[in-house]
Amino acid sequence: MADLTHITGQAPHLPGAVRAGDLIVTSGIVDPAIFQDVPPPSFRDQAQAALAQLLSFVTEAGGSADSVLRVEAYIGRAEDHNEWNEVYTAVWPVPGPTRTTVVTSFAIPGIKIEMQAIAVRS
């Protein structure tokens, strides 16, 4: 079995990231503010916060924004896709990592975007 490094995540049962050799894979990541008893943040705020959290997990696992190979994003409304593009390209101007965006629903109310990534150690 590979020697795995687990980075503490947003819930006890989910690591933020797992590294095996130089490969880094994150769990699904959301804006941590949605776990508080306040109205959920806007889509843009959630996207920026979740992306910052994702990059912090990748960095802690030994990677960087430049070592991200793939980002998968799940958004609750197709209408938010253009705003997601703006948040994404602020971090990765074209061309960035490979990417998939899917419109879906979420098990936890208030989530507007969830993302995960594959990266390599820098």
Side-chain angles (χ1 to χ4, degrees), residues 53-114:
Q53 183 83 85
L54 181 142
L55 291 173
S56 75
F57 291 150
V58 167
T59 299
E60 188 175 346
S64 68
D66 291 336
S67 74
V68 174
L69 303 174
R70 179 171 178 75
V71 174
E72 295 175 11
Y74 304 89
I75 61 177
R77 299 176 342 131
E79 296 83 8
D80 292 327
H81 189 260
N82 288 339
E83 202 162 14
W84 167 230
N85 282 335
E86 292 171 10
V87 171
Y88 181 89
T89 57
V91 175
W92 293 292
V94 178
T98 63
R99 185 179 87 164
T100 298
T101 303
V102 177
V103 178
T104 190
S105 59
F106 299 101
I108 299 172
I111 294 177
K112 296 179 170 123
I113 184 169
E114 181 174 349

